[in-house]
Amino acid sequence: MERSAMSMARGDGARAAGVRRDPRSVRAAYERFLGTGEPPGGIDPVVADSWRRSLRSGVDPDTPHPQVALADAELAAYRAAHPLAAVMPVVRELVVDGAADDGLVVAVSDEIGRLLWVEGNRRLRGTVDRVGFVEGAVWGEESVGTNAPGTALATRRAVQVIGAEHFARPVQELSCAAAPIRDPRTGRVLGVLDVTGRRAAATHVVLSLVRATVATVERELATRAAAALHPSGVAPVDLRVLGRPVLRTPAGERPLSLRHAEILLLLAEHPRGLAADELAVLLHPGVLSDVTVRAEVSRLRHVVGALLAGSRPYRLARPLRTDAGDVRAALAAGDVRAAVGAYAPLLPRSVAPGIEQLRAELSAEVRAAVLASGDPDALDAWVRGAEGADDHAAWTRLLDVAPAGSPQAVRARARAGLLDETLS
């Protein structure tokens, strides 16, 4: 089982020909390195380079010494003033809540590797505390050797360090994935996001989650920077779901996958939010696990950033205008022509139960309003659509209200006659 996790653990680097991740091979390579000073072939080049740096820095492989230079009060003040303090709610929503349930610890450091926040599973926090992975400690390579936060800072890239790939033996029972967080305006590294755990942290899923979370955090930083420059208000965001799903923002249109459109629409229809199990029921006619829902929402956050707010429950950070809502607003205002003119089947390819219900409700509302209106133009627009083409009641109603001898009346008489023959 552990070997399988190793094979999935790293992105492109882990799949390079000849690179081994299984614990036995890595431990053997590690011991040979300590004896010879040169990593043998087959080890991840990122790890091999880090081992060399760790050895040159004089790190003790048996007793690493993470530096703790700030007292509690100093750390609290430093942390409160740090640029990443403002986005910690986003980090908690995206990874910390789930980490507590999945046996993981989440850490955020500054640009030198000082751990500012260490949160997550209580039992695992006891384990990492014993190796000095605590708030205020500096986990740079020069202090503790190869580790995900330190190596991510040294290489300025996302990395995953698994088991014996750590330089310090006391840390080798753990695995971790980390990525630098950059200031979107300057590109300067502000710190690192790290997820640490046991077997669960050795999967490619965790590395992907770290990358996606960092991307969302950087977009949140960019949004906050833009808001500071333009404090006048929040730019509108529209969701188009009548036909091809599209998200419209001031930056332009962004096509959405069907699943992402489904989630956004369901959250727009439930402004108080939806728990993961509630969202699962609305998204899939069968069984959909909470883990799958979390993964889908995480990918969606990578697309829409700060538009999503909570995770328990999932909810939108602000109201989202939809074209389905525009149709309902036109109906409420009594403008049936505008409603039927704007109407199209809602996400027609979706088989999600919650979407199918919304689609049926909107269709029934528009049809009922059209039939009740007695407006020839509204009726004509309805029967020209896919849903109205075989609607006998609508064709009959159009025949009743269209001026005698008009093109609308002629079409209605012919179509109603055909439908009569089909139904008889």
Side-chain angles (χ1 to χ4, degrees):
M1 193 75 178
E2 188 175 357
R3 182 170 185 149
S4 172
M6 286 284 193
S7 67
M8 300 186 299
R10 205 177 313 261
D12 299 335
R15 303 179 194 281
V19 173
R20 302 290 298 275
R21 294 284 179 258
D22 61 283
R24 181 177 298 178
S25 297
V26 174
R27 290 192 183 102
Y30 172 77
E31 295 301 332
R32 287 196 296 274
F33 169 74
L34 292 183
T36 66
E38 188 62 31
I43 297 302
D44 178 8
V46 174
V47 171
D49 289 344
S50 179
W51 283 357
R52 294 188 186 98
R53 289 193 297 271
S54 303
L55 192 64
R56 287 197 299 268
S57 296
V59 177
D60 185 340
D62 293 308
T63 312
H65 296 286
Q67 304 169 3
V68 182
L70 296 180
D72 289 346
E74 293 174 311
L75 176 62
Y78 175 75
R79 190 166 60 180
H82 196 275
L84 294 180
V87 294
M88 276 306 295
V90 176
V91 174
R92 293 186 179 105
E93 290 168 3
L94 293 180
V95 286
V96 174
D97 289 346
D101 298 332
D102 296 337
L104 300 167
V105 163
V106 178
V108 174
S109 81
D110 65 7
E111 70 280 5
I112 67 168
R114 179 184 289 111
L115 303 181
L116 303 183
W117 294 272
V118 180
E119 303 176 7
N121 183 266
R122 183 175 299 177
R123 179 176 296 180
L124 187 63
R125 285 192 64 182
T127 299
V128 300
D129 282 355
R130 289 192 288 274
V131 296
F133 197 79
V134 296
E135 293 175 351
V138 178
W139 273 67
E141 281 188 342
E142 65 280 0
S143 300
V144 294
T146 307
N147 70 94
T151 304
L153 283 174
T155 61
R156 293 301 197 259
R157 56 175 283 186
V159 298
Q160 191 162 30
V161 178
I162 302 170
E165 292 180 339
H166 287 91
F167 186 80
R169 289 190 177 98
V171 193
Q172 289 179 350
E173 65 177 298
L174 301 169
S175 296
C176 46
I181 304 171
R182 291 178 169 83
D183 185 325
R185 298 167 300 173
T186 66
R188 180 175 68 88
V189 172
L190 299 175
V192 164
L193 171 69
D194 170 80
V195 174
T196 292
R198 299 185 188 277
R199 189 173 299 175
T203 65
H204 184 59
V205 172
V206 167
L207 181 57
S208 297
L209 177 62
V210 167
R211 284 174 168 149
T213 302
V214 166
T216 302
V217 165
E218 289 177 347
R219 277 195 298 273
E220 176 68 12
L221 289 168
T223 298
R224 288 174 174 271
L229 292 173
H230 307 285
S232 57
V234 178
V237 178
D238 291 353
L239 176 64
R240 309 285 93 180
V241 290
L242 301 182
R244 183 175 65 94
V246 171
L247 191 68
R248 292 178 177 173
T249 72
E253 290 192 354
R254 171 172 292 182
L256 294 172
S257 70
L258 179 60
R259 180 61 90 200
H260 286 171
E262 290 169 342
I263 294 172
L264 284 178
L265 180 58
L266 289 170
L267 294 179
E269 294 288 330
H270 297 82
R272 292 186 179 181
L274 292 167
D277 57 345
E278 294 174 316
L279 196 51
V281 170
L282 294 172
L283 283 174
H284 200 276
V287 177
L288 194 66
S289 71
D290 290 0
V291 173
T292 302
V293 171
R294 288 209 303 267
E296 289 285 1
V297 174
S298 178
R299 284 189 282 270
L300 176 58
R301 289 188 194 275
H302 186 67
V303 175
V304 303
L307 181 59
L308 285 182
S311 59
R312 294 190 178 184
Y314 295 116
R315 59 184 178 82
L316 296 175
R318 52 192 166 109
L320 179 64
R321 178 180 172 182
T322 71
D323 49 357
D326 292 343
V327 170
R328 291 199 196 97
L331 292 176
D335 193 347
V336 179
R337 287 190 190 181
V340 73
Y343 173 77
L346 188 152
L347 295 179
R349 294 191 298 112
S350 175
V351 295
I355 300 300
E356 288 186 328
Q357 180 177 345
L358 290 173
R359 184 193 304 137
E361 289 174 352
L362 185 61
S363 175
E365 290 171 15
V366 173
R367 180 178 183 271
V370 169
L371 291 175
S373 71
D375 182 337
D377 290 334
L379 282 159
D380 187 63
W382 174 255
V383 296
R384 287 180 183 276
E387 293 181 56
D390 295 324
D391 188 338
H392 186 274
W395 283 109
T396 301
R397 181 72 168 137
L398 179 58
L399 180 60
D400 291 340
V401 300
S406 67
Q408 290 176 335
V410 172
R411 286 181 57 246
R413 180 174 289 105
R415 187 62 177 168
L418 287 174
L419 291 174
D420 284 337
E421 292 177 8
T422 302
L423 297 173
S424 61

